[in-house]
Amino acid sequence: MSDLFDYDAELRLHNELFRAAACVGSRDRVLDLGCGTGQSTREAARAAVTGSAVGVDLSAPMLERARQLSEEQGLANVTYQQADAQFHRFPPTRFDLCISRFGTMFFADPVAAFTNIGRSLRPAARLVLLVWQERDRNEWATAIRQTLTAASATPRGPDPFSLADPTVTEGILAAAGFTDVSFTDVHEPVYYGPDSATAFDAVLRLREFKDLLAKLDAAAAEQARTRLRTTLDAHNADGGVYFDSRAWIVTAHRRH
């Protein structure tokens, strides 16, 4: 699984705050959207001693790794599904808590997606999301992309910052049947590795940046790699390569 980017290491500081905000109860039935390799799902399962946790993701390799880790750690109350949460028919009013660590920003129709997700939640169930704030507040997105493109133009395609505006996000959730929407600022760095060489390899495992390089000719790609190494060197301090970031923890309740 060495070709998988280590999101758990990247987001360690974010995850500590997210886990505290989720506050999984011992009897909770938890749905984890965009679970990746399942760290947040497994943490939910450990807390839900007499409950359960279901992790959902589109990536088969990540889910394979999630299942392997859950088995190695002896977790019997966790399962995983390969599915698109926008459309998947979850069991109705099944879950007490829905969590997602950076897994809900790419919905083509977010109101329809959250409405679908809401059907799986019991009345008054909690929703806890971790989402990025605006692109220009996230150095990991702006600085690294500029090294690979030598330009600061906003990219097209799936937008990791689609839920950055609290007013927009609150409107989406309200339209989807959620109430009591609140936002908590998270200002923690992301981590790309213990040294520049490790960070370089890690960044190039990210699909967005891999795709950017693939669009360049050989000379331009080599220049981009050189710029990337220089940028990573400049951020190598205090035991690792870190970039500034800002996120929101969004909480809400399913309407009664």
Side-chain angles (χ1 to χ4, degrees), residues 4-256:
L4 294 178
F5 180 79
D6 191 349
Y7 290 102
D8 296 340
E10 179 198 24
L11 302 171
R12 180 179 60 80
L13 298 174
H14 294 73
N15 193 67
E16 292 174 6
L17 298 172
F18 179 64
R19 183 174 60 245
C23 193
V24 177
S26 61
R27 299 180 180 180
D28 278 347
R29 291 176 294 186
V30 184
L31 175 64
D32 184 7
L33 304 176
C35 68
T37 56
Q39 181 186 45
S40 49
T41 321
R42 292 189 297 278
E43 290 176 347
R46 290 189 190 96
V49 179
T50 58
S52 60
V54 177
V56 176
D57 203 276
L58 288 169
S59 170
M62 286 190 171
L63 291 173
E64 180 183 350
R65 179 62 173 158
R67 293 186 181 101
Q68 177 187 346
L69 290 169
S70 296
E71 183 177 353
E72 290 174 358
Q73 295 169 20
L75 292 170
N77 64 336
V78 59
T79 57
Y80 298 96
Q81 295 181 359
Q82 185 178 7
D84 188 335
Q86 299 178 89
F87 314 109
H88 184 70
R89 291 189 177 183
F90 296 105
T93 62
R94 165 70 178 171
F95 299 101
D96 305 293
L97 170 63
C98 176
I99 63 174
S100 181
R101 193 184 74 180
F102 299 116
T104 58
M105 297 93 66
F106 303 106
F107 296 147
D109 184 340
V111 172
F114 281 110
T115 299
N116 181 55
I117 292 160
R119 295 189 188 103
S120 73
L121 306 180
R122 64 168 179 77
R126 293 185 301 126
L127 177 72
V128 182
L129 311 176
L130 191 57
V131 303
W132 296 117
Q133 293 186 28
E134 293 83 355
R135 178 182 292 273
D136 61 10
R137 305 194 81 188
N138 281 281
E139 185 185 35
W140 61 269
T142 56
I144 292 179
R145 183 179 178 85
Q146 287 174 29
T147 67
L148 296 180
T149 64
S152 57
T154 300
R156 298 178 180 178
D159 183 5
F161 310 99
S162 65
L163 299 178
D165 185 331
T167 301
V168 171
T169 299
E170 183 172 4
I172 289 169
L173 293 177
F178 291 89
T179 61
D180 307 321
V181 182
S182 66
F183 298 79
T184 300
D185 181 45
V186 177
H187 187 192
E188 296 288 354
V190 294
Y191 171 79
Y192 282 161
D195 52 60
S196 300
T198 304
F200 179 83
D201 291 339
V203 168
L204 295 186
R205 289 193 191 99
L206 290 166
R207 176 173 294 179
E208 176 183 0
F209 303 118
K210 188 185 299 183
D211 290 347
L212 284 172
L213 276 179
K215 296 175 183 177
L216 303 177
D217 62 38
E222 185 53 39
Q223 291 172 356
R225 292 188 187 95
T226 299
R227 290 193 300 269
L228 176 58
R229 290 188 181 95
T230 300
T231 297
L232 295 173
D233 285 341
H235 287 78
N236 187 6
D238 300 325
V241 178
Y242 293 90
F243 286 82
D244 194 29
S245 79
R246 298 296 282 262
W248 297 116
I249 290 176
V250 185
T251 60
H253 287 89
R254 177 66 176 157
R255 189 174 295 133
H256 288 274

